[in-house]
Amino acid sequence: MRVPPQRHNYQQAPAGPPQHGAPFPPSAPRSRNPFRRRSGRRLRLGRIALMVVIALLVTTIGSLFYYDSKLHRVDALASYAGRPGPTPGSTWLIVGTDSREGLSQADKDRLATGDSDGSRTDTIMLVHKPPSGKSMIISIPRDLYVDIPGNGQRKINAAFNFGGPKLLVQTVEQLTKMRIDHYGEIGFGGFADLVDAVGGVNICIDTNLRDPKAGLRLKKGCHDLNGKQALGLVRTRAFPNADLERVVNQRKFLGALMAKATSPGVVLNPFRLVPFVNGAVGSLTVDKKDHIWNLVSLAMALRGKPITTTTPNAGSQVTDDGDSLIVGSNTEEFFTYLRKGKPVPDELIQNSGGAIK
């Protein structure tokens, strides 16, 4: 006899809230994924950081091109028959002139520049960055007796008078047999402005200095020199060896100025960096092919402790141009090492004298 299957009487639960005292039915567990939330936050932060980096890059590149367009340029590195071929490394010709252009009478009085017209070279230096090793700052004494193309034997500072930057570059290249890659020129007022823009430069001197013609009066010891004082220091020839000691001071001060300009206190401080860049752009004259990034490279090459020296020579001699320094075999030997990209022996390095420690 077959037993009929049991029938279950299922009743649908009434709609609406449960009766008083009855528990709520358990809800389905909600999906939680902490890793997904963290990944989302990281993605958003990454996008924000990328946008900030892009904005900084655009601003930096825009600033570079803006300042580059403001540089004063001159055709200094022109081609000519017999010009030396490329030299290993990179070489700048840096010229400091006694130009008073742009200075008011009050500025001339404040800086004790005098009222001479025209423009002569107070400073002639090579900054040479070899393929390897330390950079060099090489002073070329203004009284060095050389052949100036088209003008015969004269003191080298006359080249700028005769033919401006182009003739001076040609004269230096013919003397050294080295190719000049970059050119920089600055006058009295621009130099003082650069020093003031970085907040002054700390310099220690080993003797009292007083030169009314240069507006200089400093006691022995260390000083934070402002633009006026710095200009007086690099101009003064009130030494037993006059210009030979002055060029030593000029080299040492240039190194100190570049060290200050590339220090974190200036580079990371817009109140120092922006005035310095504005001052450099407003006061420097460069070759028509030079750019703001070339100036940055120059500053970085000088920020360490470069080797500094005066061009070797055969001593003084009276010439048709007065008391002059004569080019000797040591002059040729010195520049031969540079042309070959080799270190210069210590016996050819001349860095004694001057007042700056």
Side-chain angles (χ1 to χ4, degrees), residues 102-167:
L103 295 179
S104 66
Q105 188 58 51
D107 289 333
K108 294 177 183 178
D109 295 339
R110 177 176 60 87
L111 298 174
T113 64
D115 295 308
S116 297
D117 295 327
S119 182
R120 290 156 289 275
T121 50
D122 255 23
T123 305
I124 306 173
M125 286 190 289
L126 296 175
V127 176
H128 179 67
K129 193 176 188 310
S132 62
K134 290 186 174 183
S135 299
M136 298 185 71
I137 305 177
I138 306 157
S139 297
I140 300 179
R142 54 185 278 172
D143 293 337
L144 193 65
Y145 198 62
V146 300
D147 181 64
I148 298 177
N151 295 273
Q153 292 280 314
R154 301 293 297 267
K155 291 182 180 180
I156 195 168
N157 70 326
F160 195 88
N161 265 353
F162 292 149
K166 190 179 296 186
L167 183 58

Side-chain angles (χ1 to χ4, degrees), residues 31 41 44 81 84 145 156 167 178 191 197 209 238 250 274 282 295 305 316 331:
S31 175
R41 282 197 297 268
R44 286 194 297 273
Y145 198 62
I156 195 168
L167 183 58
M178 294 171 60
F191 177 83
L209 291 177
Q250 291 171 345
V274 173
L295 292 172
K305 293 186 177 180
S316 61
T331 313

Side-chain angles (χ1 to χ4, degrees), residues 92 94 127 129 135 137 254-255 257-263 267 276 280 284 292-306:
W92 277 82
I94 306 294
V127 176
K129 193 176 188 310
S135 299
I137 305 177
L254 175 62
L257 175 60
M258 289 299 100
K260 179 68 178 289
T262 55
S263 68
V267 174
F276 178 75
L284 283 171
I292 193 76
W293 41 92
N294 298 127
L295 292 172
V296 173
S297 178
L298 171 66
M300 298 306 294
L302 295 176
R303 72 184 304 269
K305 293 186 177 180

Side-chain angles (χ1 to χ4, degrees), residues 219-275:
K219 292 183 178 180
K220 177 181 178 180
C222 296
H223 308 269
D224 288 320
L225 301 185
N226 59 29
K228 176 182 181 300
Q229 294 168 317
L231 180 60
L233 177 60
V234 299
R235 286 181 57 206
T236 184
R237 303 177 73 185
F239 304 105
N241 287 326
D243 193 56
L244 288 179
E245 294 197 55
R246 177 172 72 161
V247 296
V248 177
N249 290 332
Q250 291 171 345
R251 293 195 304 266
K252 290 181 177 179
F253 190 88
L254 175 62
L257 175 60
M258 289 299 100
K260 179 68 178 289
T262 55
S263 68
V266 173
V267 174
L268 301 179
N269 182 352
F271 296 102
R272 290 294 184 204
L273 179 61
V274 173

Side-chain angles (χ1 to χ4, degrees), residues 1-18:
M1 179 175 179
R2 189 175 63 171
V3 179
Q6 291 182 340
R7 294 183 178 180
H8 297 281
N9 186 18
Y10 292 99
Q11 294 183 350
Q12 184 175 0

